[in-house]
Amino acid sequence: MSLSSLVLVINCGSSSLKFSVMPVNDGQPLLFGLAERLGLDNAVITVKDGAGNKSVLSLESASHHEALKVLFDTRSSKNLIDSLAAIGHRVAHGGSDFKHSVLITPEVIEKIRALLVLAPLHNPANLTGIEAAQALLPSLPQIAVFDTAFHQTLAPAAYTYAIPYEYQVRRYGFHGTSHRYIAEQARAMLDLKADDHGILVAHLGNGSSICAVKNGRSVDTSMGMTPLEGLVMGTRSGDLDFGAAAYIASCTKQPIEKIYQTVNNASDLYGISGISSDCRTLQEARESGNERAGLAIDVMVHHLARHLGAHLTSLSRLDALVFTGGIGENSALIRELTIELLSVLGLKLDKQKNHDMVGGRSGVISAEGFPTIAVIFTNEEKMIAMDVAEIAQLA
């Protein structure tokens, strides 16, 4: 393997920076890690290599720029960083302008900046990562890979909100990089015809969404103009009657900005349970008899099954239902409870296979003779690296 074929993948959050150094033709990172608590006094960066060696370093200025600088200067990573051919950035919201991944130019940066209002919790951090990487490695080509791009194939009937047309507000969908990767993996793994197949993908984690994929194209998805719409998630409310939001604002005398903060950061699994936004914690509490934890999981599963059933109507056929994401890949309980509610569609699990399919394993978990249900480990970093390789002509 040539070191000249290495790509740095960067995924910035408001207080974190996730990174991977990826060979173009391999999904296994040579170096990866996370800078966290950025902006706080106790910020650190954790760097791991492919051999399992780990180092944890403090960050003095606690900024994204400082995190990348420390990464680039760390002895264990310096040779790899010096051999990078390009950098790929995850960008949450591409609006209607970006239907594909693109080479970052000053014009692209300005368009991303104009979209900050659509993704105020995500795009500012993504833009910060781009600017920090450009300042430190200005000679490398840098590519933006948009979470919304895969869903640009939605028809107007799927993306239009039923509000006055003049507002020009529409649904965009997110997790597109993961949904695209899973769609490609599922087609290959299940030997589906490229021009005649239908897949439902359930990406379940702290953020969750469903995508209906018809012949490799996204035709419907559960998230909307922002990542707030759709499924029950860790702290985001998912679907919420606007009348309920207006009622809460009226009763509590809170401004809309405060309500928006609550439905983004203190709702769903966390808001219902009052314990945690982590599904693992709630499953343990449920087993111990905690009623609110049990209710949180029941609500999550009910909404998931309802959305899967609704998204099925956007397909001409169903070849597979695929679970992915941190919860989808590792929670046999959530999968089991969901499929029980979807038995009306003729779906049935092989309970032993479902129980065993955790910890990064991929495979079919449906009972023999029934429609295919699978678990596939997602790899957004690999998908980003593949886009970077194509655009930067590294293959």
Side-chain angles (χ1 to χ4, degrees), residues 173-246:
F174 297 86
H175 293 144
T177 305
S178 175
H179 286 304
R180 178 160 60 107
Y181 178 81
I182 294 300
E184 293 180 6
Q185 292 296 305
R187 186 174 70 83
M189 185 176 86
L190 302 174
D191 195 26
L192 304 179
K193 294 182 180 179
D195 59 352
D196 186 20
H197 70 271
I199 303 170
L200 287 178
V201 182
H203 176 110
L204 309 177
N206 191 53
S208 298
S209 66
I210 290 169
C211 184
V213 181
K214 183 177 182 180
N215 302 337
R217 294 159 60 91
S218 172
V219 293
D220 206 352
T221 190
S222 57
M223 283 181 168
M225 187 188 84
T226 75
L228 185 59
E229 185 182 354
L231 302 178
V232 172
M233 300 175 239
T235 63
R236 288 176 239 165
S237 67
D239 292 338
L240 178 68
D241 182 349
F242 186 80

Side-chain angles (χ1 to χ4, degrees), residues 116-372:
L116 296 185
V117 66
L118 291 180
L121 302 178
H122 299 84
N123 271 35
N126 303 153
L127 193 56
T128 295
I130 291 171
E131 293 172 338
Q134 285 187 328
L136 291 165
L137 295 174
S139 64
L140 289 184
Q142 306 206 28
I143 285 82
V145 180
F146 300 92
D147 268 7
T148 50
F150 184 56
H151 304 300
Q152 286 296 299
T153 52
L154 265 62
Y159 69 66
T160 303
Y161 282 116
I163 57 176
Y165 188 79
E166 291 73 21
Y167 287 148
Q168 291 295 293
V169 172
R170 55 158 290 179
R171 303 176 69 248
Y172 293 98
F174 297 86
H175 293 144
T177 305
S178 175
H179 286 304
R180 178 160 60 107
Y181 178 81
I182 294 300
E184 293 180 6
Q185 292 296 305
R187 186 174 70 83
M189 185 176 86
L190 302 174
D191 195 26
L192 304 179
K193 294 182 180 179
D195 59 352
D196 186 20
H197 70 271
I199 303 170
L200 287 178
V201 182
H203 176 110
L204 309 177
N206 191 53
S208 298
S209 66
I210 290 169
C211 184
V213 181
K214 183 177 182 180
N215 302 337
R217 294 159 60 91
S218 172
V219 293
D220 206 352
T221 190
S222 57
M223 283 181 168
M225 187 188 84
T226 75
L228 185 59
E229 185 182 354
L231 302 178
V232 172
M233 300 175 239
T235 63
R236 288 176 239 165
S237 67
D239 292 338
L240 178 68
D241 182 349
F242 186 80
Y247 172 78
I248 294 169
S250 175
C251 291
T252 63
K253 309 303 180 186
Q254 296 181 78
I256 189 65
E257 293 79 11
K258 179 63 175 178
I259 301 297
Y260 184 63
Q261 183 180 25
T262 298
V263 297
N264 264 291
N265 301 321
S267 298
D268 273 23
L269 293 180
Y270 176 78
I272 297 171
S273 70
I275 298 173
S276 175
S277 61
D278 192 303
C279 191
R280 293 165 296 187
T281 301
L282 297 183
Q283 287 182 196
E284 292 173 0
R286 173 182 180 269
E287 291 170 3
S288 299
N290 187 297
E291 292 185 2
R292 283 180 59 179
L295 177 62
I297 288 177
D298 289 344
V299 172
M300 173 189 178
V301 169
H302 177 84
H303 281 248
L304 174 57
R306 186 169 68 181
H307 267 279
L308 284 168
H311 280 70
L312 179 60
T313 64
S314 294
L315 300 176
S316 301
R317 55 184 292 165
L318 178 63
D319 290 287
L321 164 59
V322 180
F323 290 95
T324 192
I327 296 173
E329 294 163 14
N330 294 294
S331 178
L333 174 66
I334 296 300
R335 298 192 301 251
E336 180 179 350
L337 295 176
T338 302
I339 299 305
E340 285 179 0
L341 293 179
L342 291 171
S343 61
V344 66
L345 301 179
L347 299 173
K348 185 176 181 180
L349 285 177
D350 181 309
K351 291 192 176 182
Q352 188 61 51
K353 288 181 180 179
N354 181 51
H355 179 270
D356 294 341
M357 202 66 65
V358 295
R361 297 183 62 196
S362 295
V364 173
I365 58 172
S366 47
E368 188 174 353
F370 287 82
T372 301

Side-chain angles (χ1 to χ4, degrees), residues 15-39:
S15 61
S16 65
L17 186 154
K18 184 180 179 183
F19 60 88
S20 298
V21 176
M22 308 280 294
V24 167
N25 297 316
D26 188 1
Q28 300 303 315
L30 300 180
L31 193 79
F32 60 100
L34 176 70
E36 51 192 332
R37 299 191 292 274
L38 299 179

